[in-house]
Amino acid sequence: MEVVILPGPDEVARVAARRIAEAVRRRPDAVVGLATGSSPLGLYAELARQVAAGELDVSGIRGFGLDEYVGLPPGHPQSYASVLRRTVVQPLRLDPARVHVPDGGAAELVAAAAGFERRIEAAGGIDVQILGIGANGHIGFNEPTSSLSSRTRVKTLAPRTRADNARFFASPEEVPVHCLTQGLGTILEARELVLVALGRAKADAVAAAVEGPLSSMCPASVLQLHPRAGAYLDEAAAARLRLADYYRHTWAHRPGGS
């Protein structure tokens, strides 16, 4: 995994957005996997700035959300369909019909999960997947002990995940217990993976994902298997990495870097 340690969130957003922009310039109809959460917000804001400045055209891309809560009413402001609409679709001026999110309101959730997998396949697969990481090492909503080859499915959220996400809701009791999420096997099939992590609260999870053993106890460690995975970290999120100085050295001396 390429590990890039940068001074702060602004630099992380700029460098990670550059990797997404490069993928879109290579393929104007790229399929982009979209994560929610706090960490990717700066990346999306930087892409929106480039779009507004005429530096980047994303009008042809197609998007797939990583996950969605189960059971929130349609249009709920904290549904991930709503969050992606506010933070990605509208700022980047995307066609909403080209951005797909798992259907957490479906009567048949297993069928909805299988249908989402088929839709990704029909799009030709995901070219570049944006990821955050939970404090317990989850990516998407793949909680610890998730199968490393799992597909899109229903998951039960861990108590820690629900507690971490309670800040977005009026009360902790409002946080759904279940979700639909792309599986770890689904995520690994993306051609590129771009993980963004910010803040000291993510440092233990980042260290386990990057330098720990490949283990379902840290689902994000599955990224070690991917040939084109990058982790873009601020100094706080990188605080527990044993080889931090090496990662800084390799980034400073990357071939053709600037």
Side-chain angles (χ1 to χ4, degrees):
M1 192 185 317
E2 180 182 45
V3 180
V4 181
I5 302 172
L6 298 156
D10 290 345
E11 293 83 1
V12 170
R14 178 178 54 80
V15 174
R18 185 169 67 202
R19 183 160 176 182
I20 305 301
E22 288 170 353
V24 173
R25 291 189 178 103
R26 287 195 304 270
R27 183 179 177 184
D29 64 344
V31 180
V32 181
L34 302 169
T36 52
S38 301
S39 294
L41 290 177
L43 182 163
Y44 296 139
E46 171 59 18
L47 291 174
R49 184 200 65 76
Q50 294 180 29
V51 169
E55 300 169 5
L56 180 65
D57 179 6
V58 296
S59 61
I61 72 171
R62 295 156 290 168
F64 284 87
L66 259 180
D67 41 31
E68 179 60 284
Y69 291 116
V70 166
L72 291 182
H76 190 287
Q78 295 309 322
S79 73
Y80 284 166
S82 295
V83 171
L84 288 176
R85 186 164 54 249
R86 292 194 303 271
T87 62
V88 181
V89 175
Q90 294 171 351
L92 272 62
R93 307 173 189 174
L94 300 180
D95 179 356
R98 295 169 69 87
V99 178
H100 312 287
V101 180
D103 184 1
E108 297 291 340
L109 293 172
V110 173
F116 195 72
E117 286 276 334
R118 289 194 296 271
R119 181 168 262 178
I120 292 174
E121 183 179 2
I126 292 174
D127 292 299
V128 56
Q129 174 68 62
I130 299 166
L131 298 166
I133 185 170
N136 65 0
H138 73 242
I139 52 174
F141 271 141
N142 293 281
E143 300 284 23
T145 72
S146 288
S147 165
L148 302 185
S149 60
S150 53
R151 313 303 301 187
T152 301
R153 68 211 187 284
V154 182
K155 283 293 290 182
T156 301
L157 297 177
R160 181 172 186 179
T161 298
R162 294 185 70 231
D164 288 346
N165 289 2
R167 68 189 188 277
F168 300 116
F169 291 81
S171 70
E173 292 73 27
E174 289 188 16
V175 183
V177 175
H178 297 102
C179 67
L180 284 177
T181 183
Q182 287 187 38
L184 296 173
T186 311
I187 291 168
L188 282 178
E189 288 181 355
R191 296 174 185 91
E192 293 184 64
L193 302 177
V194 175
L195 174 73
V196 177
L198 306 172
R200 182 61 181 79
K202 301 298 179 68
D204 287 334
V206 166
V210 172
E211 296 179 340
L214 178 65
S215 169
S216 66
M217 287 298 291
C218 179
S221 67
V222 77
L223 273 62
Q224 296 176 27
L225 295 173
H226 199 281
R228 298 197 66 190
Y232 297 84
L233 318 170
D234 66 2
E235 288 285 353
R240 297 296 301 275
L241 292 173
R242 290 172 294 174
L243 296 180
D245 287 343
Y246 173 66
Y247 305 138
R248 295 186 187 97
H249 175 79
T250 56
W251 178 248
H253 296 86
R254 64 196 183 280
S258 60

